[in-house]
Amino acid sequence: MTDQQKTPCAADFMNRHVQVVTQGMSLTEVIRFLLKHKISNAPVVELQDQKQILVGFVSERDCLSALSNEVFFGNPSPAQTVRTIMSSHPICITPETELFSIVSIFVSHHLRHLPVVQNGVLKGIVSRREILEAMETYYNHSLHTQEHERLLRDASQPMNLRFLIDRS
């Protein structure tokens, strides 16, 4: 019998210590925040009953677009905030979302990060790097398991031949 490898899910490798922003932050504040924390994006949350409810996602790309428009076209009215530049309905996963489903989302949508949400509450974030590491670990374990099974299978044939009796 072989030991079936459990497919990892988001809860197994997500980052639970997430830097978050709020909708009211100005464009300048969010840019400084991303640069200070050396991150390329951040979930946008709203506090409700001591829980961080995901309301959007803001990225360097969003900031670059808003900043370049502001510099090129002049100051917009009203001033740009996280609320005006964020993606309001980001693609999310749950802690139970399996590795291969997450890979599919990353590949299909060309994303770099996915928020992990349960009942609207932000639980963590998963990056392409974390997915790549999880896939590599899963792949190596699968190769090791397959090789071990092959060796057991190959060894069983000669071992069984020892017990054949020639009754001629």
Side-chain angles (χ1 to χ4, degrees):
M1 279 214 165
T2 61
D3 199 19
Q4 188 68 15
Q5 182 180 359
K6 177 189 170 285
T7 304
C9 59
D12 297 326
F13 46 79
M14 70 183 183
N15 178 359
R16 288 173 167 78
H17 305 288
V18 182
Q19 299 291 334
V20 299
V21 297
T22 60
Q23 296 180 76
M25 292 174 76
S26 70
L27 177 58
T28 301
E29 289 173 325
V30 74
I31 290 170
R32 287 182 183 158
F33 180 88
L34 295 175
L35 293 173
K36 175 185 174 189
H37 294 286
K38 298 180 180 176
I39 55 177
S40 60
N41 52 56
V44 182
V45 298
E46 186 176 281
L47 280 177
Q48 291 180 7
D49 300 324
Q50 306 288 341
K51 296 177 183 171
Q52 294 182 331
I53 305 301
L54 183 72
V55 295
F57 209 73
V58 67
S59 68
E60 290 172 327
R61 178 187 218 167
D62 299 324
C63 293
L64 282 171
S65 177
L67 188 59
S68 64
N69 285 339
E70 189 167 315
V71 170
F72 186 77
F73 295 111
N75 289 338
S77 182
Q80 298 288 321
T81 64
V82 170
R83 180 181 290 111
T84 64
I85 68 170
M86 71 181 189
S87 298
S88 296
H89 301 286
I91 297 172
C92 300
I93 57 175
T94 68
E96 297 80 27
T97 305
E98 288 190 340
L99 179 62
F100 293 101
S101 297
I102 299 170
V103 169
S104 178
I105 294 168
F106 272 110
V107 171
S108 299
H109 296 281
H110 307 284
L111 299 172
R112 295 178 64 187
H113 296 86
L114 281 169
V116 181
V117 177
Q118 191 167 41
N119 299 323
V121 178
L122 180 67
K123 296 295 184 179
I125 195 167
V126 173
S127 71
R128 282 190 308 203
R129 177 165 292 129
E130 290 156 344
I131 294 301
L132 185 57
E133 288 172 353
M135 279 296 296
E136 196 261 344
T137 299
Y138 186 86
Y139 176 73
N140 285 334
H141 184 272
S142 294
L143 284 180
H144 175 74
T145 301
Q146 290 170 0
E147 179 64 15
H148 181 71
E149 289 174 357
R150 187 189 67 74
L151 290 173
L152 287 176
R153 202 169 34 251
D154 291 345
S156 67
Q157 293 302 322
M159 289 172 55
N160 287 338
L161 293 175
R162 292 185 311 173
F163 302 103
L164 290 178
I165 300 173
D166 183 11
R167 299 202 186 247
S168 0

